[in-house]
Amino acid sequence: MMGRMTELWQLGALELAQQIAAKEVSSREVVEAQLARVGAVNKNLNAIVRLLTDEALAAADRADKAVANDEVLGPLHGVPFSVKENIDVEGFPTTNGVPRFADAIAPCDSPTVERMRAAGAIPFARTNLPDFGLRVHTDSSLHGLTRNPWNPHVTAGGSSGGEASAIASGMSPIGLGNDIGGSLRNPAHCCGIASLKPTLGVIPMASAIPPEDQLLSSQLMLVEGPMARCVADVRAGLDVLAGQHWRDPRSVTAVLTDAEPGERLKIAVLPEPPGGPTDAGIAAAIRAVADQLSDAGHDVVEITPPEYERAGELWAQIMIGDIRAQRDLLATVMGEDGLALIAAFEAEIEPTEFPSVLLLHAERYRIMRLWSEFFLEHPILLAPTWALPAFAHGADIATGDDAMRLADWIRPVTHANVLGLPAAVTPAGMADGLPVGVQVMGDRFTDLRCLTVAQEIEQFVGVLTPIDPVTD
């Protein structure tokens, strides 16, 4: 992976920021190094779908001038970052991965891009996603298929698969994605990087591209967050992005709970989540990091949180209600594969009619309270991200003998969405030659504690990326 000398594209976001601030390297050199890396490997991955070359180099020159003038610098000063193409960057299209939105130019930055710029970071690339982010596999009708740098024949995950593939292959040091059904965590698992699905409301999100106002499932479950190769960079992203913003009525300026230095925690582990099968390699990787945490002094116990399977069912019932409400609109803009997945999803879930639909939210509230009580005794929950390694391209929409029941395999990832919880992902090891991501979950507003435990796991396992993409 590494040569005798470390290349700039191999460094993390904080390492780059430190070198830029120390005048060891210029921001222009860093941006040029990332652009060169894109030129070298993106043809094999199709992770980055648009470069902001001129704008990024001009911003890098301004960043270098600020360093030369000894100005006060932000924590990510001069560091390039990538942005999923359903997050607004002023002056560029927010395509949502579909041809009908190819020219949907954003009139202003999203709150997250705005905050990254305020921290000194420089947007330089846009990354691929499936149509409207409604798939856990990244293949868009506008930009095509994104490949996984570990294996070109398996998914990079979704819907932030372009981000994860770009970060894992060294094209970007840090990026922005979003998550309503694991979309920050699915690709982190598949590509061997780190990410954080924050507590609902901790990181604001908004778009100026219609429809600007979110339906109920998005209000309750959709978040934006950072992705990077190491947990420290994800934590730096959280520090930059968190806090109330007027454009997101859900957002709050919250005091986030962290672990005390040297604190020994009671950690619940769920290596084989109920509700379906779990790949043996996945379960073994989760148990291995649980054993390492136990050896480090934590009190680790295998236990299932209350109403585990019902919580996953609630996620599906809440999601499908809004998808059905937008069915006619989606049919006019989405590609064939995305619509096939939605049709299969709809066929599995019985419609919930009024007034029963209102009772779903009372049930969700009850389970949120039960999990908060569970976290009093077990402040951290370890679980797989998926119950299998990255699957073959298109397996999520295969039919007949090749069909997989997608809901069974991705079932561990939806609980954090429906319950509004934080969930960090970091590699737990490998299975079948592919990365395994472990979720580190906690109660609402314990995002920092989740990251602290994730970083402890990272110290055991190591940072797996960047890698040169496997092309054969």
Side-chain angles (χ1 to χ4, degrees):
M1 180 175 70
M2 300 288 187
R4 281 186 237 173
M5 289 186 62
T6 300
E7 305 262 1
L8 288 175
W9 61 262
Q10 293 171 318
L11 298 178
L14 287 176
E15 292 173 309
L16 291 170
Q18 290 160 5
Q19 292 197 14
I20 291 168
K23 303 180 182 178
E24 296 172 7
V25 66
S26 69
S27 176
R28 174 174 268 269
E29 288 175 307
V30 171
V31 172
E32 288 176 340
Q34 296 296 165
L35 292 170
R37 180 64 174 172
V38 174
V41 305
N42 191 52
K43 59 183 177 289
N44 298 315
L45 298 173
N46 190 37
I48 288 176
V49 295
R50 186 185 307 273
L51 288 171
L52 318 184
T53 303
D54 293 342
E55 294 80 4
L57 289 172
D61 289 341
R62 292 192 296 271
D64 290 334
K65 184 176 180 180
V67 173
N69 292 337
D70 293 323
E71 296 178 17
V72 176
L73 307 179
L76 296 176
H77 185 85
V79 176
F81 71 101
S82 47
V83 187
K84 185 177 178 181
E85 212 171 38
N86 64 352
I87 299 173
D88 293 351
V89 177
E90 182 178 358
F92 295 93
T94 303
T95 69
N96 283 283
V98 298
R100 286 283 294 271
F101 279 55
D103 297 317
I105 304 298
C108 59
D109 286 337
S110 69
T112 47
V113 171
E114 174 188 302
R115 286 185 174 166
M116 290 290 282
R117 288 195 206 257
I122 297 170
F124 85 106
R126 307 304 303 275
T127 55
N128 200 17
L129 72 156
D131 295 14
F132 278 94
L134 291 175
R135 197 174 173 189
V136 298
H137 170 60
T138 298
D139 189 354
S140 84
S141 57
L142 177 61
H143 298 302
L145 174 69
T146 291
R147 296 189 182 275
N148 188 322
W150 291 89
N151 182 330
H153 306 295
V154 303
T155 185
S159 61
S160 306
E163 276 300 320
S165 180
I167 290 167
S169 60
M171 289 191 281
S172 173
I174 190 169
L176 298 176
N178 34 45
D179 189 320
I180 195 171
S183 291
L184 286 159
R185 294 161 289 145
N186 305 326
H189 161 71
C190 292
C191 294
I193 66 166
S195 69
L196 173 70
K197 182 261 164 205
T199 299
L200 183 75
V202 164
I203 293 176
M205 64 175 296
S207 176
I209 303 300
E212 297 174 59
D213 297 317
Q214 301 174 357
L215 295 183
L216 185 58
S217 63
S218 294
Q219 292 180 36
L220 295 176
M221 301 194 294
L222 179 61
V223 298
E224 288 182 6
M227 307 175 75
R229 289 188 286 272
C230 67
V231 177
D233 286 353
V234 171
R235 190 180 187 116
L238 173 64
D239 290 344
V240 164
L241 299 170
Q244 190 270 343
H245 193 288
W246 69 269
R247 291 180 64 196
D248 184 351
R250 308 168 306 163
S251 63
V252 294
T253 299
V255 176
L256 301 180
T257 300
D258 200 349
E260 296 294 330
E263 183 179 3
R264 301 305 181 216
L265 297 167
K266 192 162 187 180
I267 296 175
V269 60
L270 193 60
E272 298 178 72
T278 300
D279 177 87
I282 297 283
I286 303 305
R287 285 195 170 100
V289 295
D291 289 344
Q292 289 170 310
L293 289 169
S294 178
D295 292 344
H298 297 289
D299 183 3
V300 179
V301 58
E302 289 197 15
I303 187 171
T304 303
E307 303 276 8
Y308 187 85
E309 292 182 66
R310 182 56 186 146
E313 292 168 356
L314 282 173
W315 173 85
Q317 289 176 299
I318 292 169
M319 271 292 295
I320 200 63
D322 282 3
I323 288 173
R324 285 176 173 137
Q326 299 177 92
R327 185 192 296 113
D328 292 344
L329 172 62
L330 293 173
T332 67
V333 295
M334 288 186 68
E336 182 178 335
D337 288 350
L339 291 173
L341 185 70
I342 287 175
F345 187 34
E346 278 200 272
E348 287 193 8
I349 302 169
E350 291 290 330
T352 306
E353 305 296 341
F354 182 86
S356 297
V357 68
L358 301 180
L359 300 180
L360 294 178
H361 299 284
E363 191 172 6
R364 170 180 174 267
Y365 190 88
R366 178 180 63 83
I367 296 175
M368 289 173 72
R369 185 178 68 251
L370 291 175
W371 277 53
S372 287
E373 184 179 21
F374 175 83
F375 285 126
L376 289 175
E377 181 70 18
H378 309 88
I380 290 291
L381 170 65
L382 300 185
T385 308
W386 284 359
L388 82 170
F391 53 76
H393 296 304
D396 58 326
I397 57 170
T399 57
D401 293 340
D402 295 327
M404 58 182 281
R405 191 170 186 275
L406 184 66
D408 287 346
W409 293 110
I410 70 165
R411 68 187 186 281
V413 85
T414 58
H415 297 74
N417 295 102
V418 73
L419 304 178
L421 304 173
V425 168
T426 190
M430 305 286 288
D432 299 331
L434 294 169
V436 175
V438 58
Q439 287 192 98
V440 184
M441 301 170 63
D443 202 3
R444 286 165 296 148
F445 305 112
T446 63
D447 306 54
L448 295 177
R449 182 190 284 150
C450 294
L451 288 170
T452 293
V453 175
Q455 196 156 12
E456 192 170 355
I457 293 170
E458 182 183 82
Q459 291 169 358
F460 303 142
V461 176
V463 176
L464 303 186
T465 57
I467 62 169
D468 289 326
V470 176
T471 57
D472 185 1

